[in-house]
Amino acid sequence: MPEKSFIVKGIRVQTSSGLRRAPQQARGAQRIARILDAAAEVIGEVGYDAATTVMIAAKAHTAIGSLYQFFPNKEAIVQGLLERYRDELRAIFDAIITPDLATLPLPALLDRIIDPLLEFELGRHGFKALFVGMHMSRELAAATRQLTDEVVGRVAGIFQARMPTLPREMAQRYSVIVVQIVKAFLGLADAPIMTRAELVAELKALLLRYLIPLEGASG
Amino acid sequence: MPEKSFIVKGIRVQTSSGLRRAPQQARGAQRIARILDAAAEVIGEVGYDAATTVMIAAKAHTAIGSLYQFFPNKEAIVQGLLERYRDELRAIFDAIITPDLATLPLPALLDRIIDPLLEFELGRHGFKALFVGMHMSRELAAATRQLTDEVVGRVAGIFQARMPTLPREMAQRYSVIVVQIVKAFLGLADAPIMTRAELVAELKALLLRYLIPLEGASG
DNA sequence: CCAAAACATGAATAATCTTTCGCATTTGAT
DNA sequence: ATCAAATGCGAAAGATTATTCATGTTTTGG
């Protein structure tokens, strides 16, 4: 199902589903965008549970009532944020995935995929909390799983393109593991023991050593 | 500093610090133990934030007032739980670490360390949530970091025993990464895509491939 | 310029938790 | 058996949030 999305006076609003009502004017659309920005920041700072709607409204320079003008509840805000991230991730993968990926040497492939993803994460404060965080409400867990599934599916597709003999289920399995490893390294990002650059190098070395035997057998 | 611990009528109580007062009778000590058990279960089910003191008291078959008889607040309960886990982990590592570890083949080493740890995790419902969870209150984050540091320190020690030429800082760094990877796989434990046995096998394969070059260079 | 629709506001309400406190019951020592 | 200390109890107070709503302001189409 293609995602509905509003364009209101030049401002793109893609939070089609969870909104209480669609904005009719530019200021409404801008406010929604500002609220999502603010939510990303607050969630990035304190996590989903500790993030309050008042904090989000304040950071968006908006009255609490205005927030509820468009979002029916706190969860809908996060849903909107997740939709935004999902769309952005799709665009990144669409740019990453080209025919030459199937035959690219493994080290180059890792650079090609990991670098844009890490850059994306670096610029979205709330992303890590929602992508690697555990334990949320049932519905929210489902929504965040969608984000992960998006990434896992793309990576599995790349595996299958490179290793046509690899069963779909195996591709899925290794993709789940690889994505989880990337998540784990994201969680290490503010450990004072290494720089981000060292961390990225180590991540790539790890994935390289893990995947070489796989590609050797099925490539 | 050695940990204080009470023995009250045969029941061991090691929650020395965070308690409002030390139990004087056996029933008090038992109640504390039951509350910690209940907290572990509830936190394992819904996570720390969603776990309420009323839920914990109910699962411990205790009135909410009794809970506060010993624990000054919700956080102290988790502190107590973490102390319990830390002590248990210490005991496990004390049993694991023997002189022959330094020269054991790497695959056997992985079995030796990972199997007991995973078995420990399997039997403690709240452990995973506190060990791999993100984003808690400042103090709680510090307390859970202690748990991780305990494990990281032990693993780093093993690295140094096997690779005497490896600088302490490098041992620490690889230990942090390895422990984070183990955490990541714990987070995969209820993914329906593989059995736990397959997951453990993949974890060991991954760590083996990651660590072989390291030991080859410094061993 | 005007009226209707859209949007903004924040005090008030409502729901959810944590924590307290006065009183009841149990235990251990004499 | 009796008393003081320890423990148990749960309704109610206190805190924190999410959410609503009555009312004021801005925008838009005509």
Side-chain angles (χ1 to χ4, degrees):
Chain A
M1 47 180 147
E3 208 54 40
K4 274 170 287 180
S5 86
F6 308 95
I7 307 265
V8 180
K9 303 280 174 174
I11 283 84
R12 179 145 164 282
V13 181
Q14 29 90 298
T15 323
S16 50
S17 39
L19 284 187
R20 174 165 292 185
R21 66 188 170 77
Q24 307 296 320
Q25 301 174 2
R27 55 176 172 160
Q30 280 169 330
R31 191 157 298 244
I32 288 175
R34 281 217 313 278
I35 290 170
L36 290 183
D37 292 343
E41 277 195 61
V42 174
I43 289 173
E45 285 165 15
V46 304
Y48 171 73
D49 282 303
T52 73
T53 53
V54 171
M55 287 163 93
I56 293 172
K59 184 149 295 201
H61 301 290
T62 286
I64 182 65
S66 301
L67 186 153
Y68 281 93
Q69 196 79 222
F70 296 105
F71 294 98
N73 50 50
K74 180 179 168 184
E75 190 179 304
I77 302 172
V78 182
Q79 293 276 5
L81 198 54
L82 287 169
E83 285 182 33
R84 176 194 271 191
Y85 288 149
R86 189 201 50 195
D87 290 352
E88 290 176 327
L89 275 177
R90 279 183 184 166
I92 287 177
F93 270 105
D94 285 343
I96 284 177
I97 293 175
T98 55
D100 67 310
L101 267 202
T103 56
L104 210 62
L106 195 49
L109 177 75
L110 291 177
D111 291 341
R112 185 77 170 281
I113 300 176
I114 289 176
D115 291 344
L117 287 181
L118 291 185
E119 192 188 1
F120 169 78
E121 183 269 333
L122 207 53
R124 318 297 136 117
H125 282 183
F127 178 73
K128 188 166 76 180
L130 295 177
F131 190 57
V132 328
M134 291 180 55
H135 273 311
M136 328 200 161
S137 71
R138 279 284 172 281
E139 306 80 14
L140 196 56
T144 59
R145 185 171 13 254
Q146 253 189 294
L147 248 199
T148 296
D149 288 349
E150 180 78 28
V151 177
V152 167
R154 296 298 187 117
V155 172
I158 294 171
F159 281 155
Q160 288 213 293
R162 293 176 67 88
M163 300 173 278
T165 67
L166 190 70
R168 171 179 298 277
E169 197 184 280
M170 284 295 124
Q172 192 75 12
R173 170 182 298 192
Y174 288 111
S175 178
V176 166
I177 290 175
V178 164
V179 170
Q180 189 77 358
I181 290 170
V182 174
K183 283 189 188 182
F185 272 74
L186 284 183
L188 238 37
D190 25 45
I193 197 149
M194 338 178 215
T195 68
R196 190 167 172 108
E198 289 170 330
L199 204 65
V200 173
E202 213 56 43
L203 168 61
K204 287 178 182 174
L206 172 72
L207 290 179
L208 193 62
R209 290 174 202 160
Y210 180 57
L211 293 176
I212 277 180
L214 183 67
E215 295 218 331
S218 303
Chain B
M1 48 181 148
E3 208 53 45
K4 274 171 287 181
S5 87
F6 309 95
I7 305 266
V8 181
K9 302 280 174 172
I11 283 83
R12 179 145 164 280
V13 181
Q14 29 90 298
T15 322
S16 47
S17 39
L19 282 186
R20 175 164 291 185
R21 63 188 171 78
Q24 306 297 319
Q25 301 175 2
R27 58 179 170 154
Q30 281 168 330
R31 189 155 298 241
I32 288 175
R34 281 216 314 278
I35 290 171
L36 291 182
D37 292 343
E41 276 195 60
V42 174
I43 289 172
E45 284 166 15
V46 305
Y48 171 72
D49 282 302
T52 73
T53 53
V54 171
M55 286 163 93
I56 293 171
K59 184 149 293 198
H61 300 291
T62 286
I64 182 63
S66 300
L67 186 154
Y68 280 91
Q69 197 77 222
F70 296 104
F71 294 98
N73 50 49
K74 182 180 166 184
E75 190 179 303
I77 302 171
V78 182
Q79 292 276 6
L81 198 54
L82 286 169
E83 284 184 33
R84 177 195 270 190
Y85 288 149
R86 188 200 52 196
D87 290 353
E88 289 176 327
L89 275 178
R90 280 183 182 165
I92 286 177
F93 270 105
D94 286 343
I96 284 178
I97 292 174
T98 55
D100 67 310
L101 268 202
T103 56
L104 209 61
L106 195 50
L109 178 77
L110 291 176
D111 292 340
R112 185 78 169 281
I113 299 176
I114 289 177
D115 291 343
L117 286 181
L118 291 185
E119 191 188 3
F120 169 77
E121 184 269 333
L122 206 54
R124 317 297 135 119
H125 282 184
F127 178 73
K128 189 167 74 181
L130 295 176
F131 190 56
V132 328
M134 291 179 56
H135 273 312
M136 328 199 161
S137 71
R138 279 280 172 286
E139 306 81 14
L140 196 57
T144 59
R145 186 172 10 255
Q146 253 190 293
L147 247 199
T148 295
D149 288 349
E150 179 78 28
V151 176
V152 167
R154 296 298 188 116
V155 172
I158 295 171
F159 281 155
Q160 289 213 291
R162 294 176 67 88
M163 299 173 278
T165 67
L166 189 71
R168 171 178 300 277
E169 196 184 281
M170 285 294 124
Q172 193 74 12
R173 170 182 299 193
Y174 287 112
S175 179
V176 166
I177 291 176
V178 164
V179 170
Q180 189 76 359
I181 290 171
V182 174
K183 281 189 189 183
F185 272 74
L186 284 182
L188 238 36
D190 25 45
I193 197 148
M194 333 174 221
T195 67
R196 188 167 174 108
E198 289 169 330
L199 205 65
V200 173
E202 214 55 43
L203 168 62
K204 287 177 182 173
L206 172 71
L207 291 179
L208 194 61
R209 291 175 202 161
Y210 181 57
L211 294 176
I212 276 180
L214 183 67
E215 296 219 330
S218 303

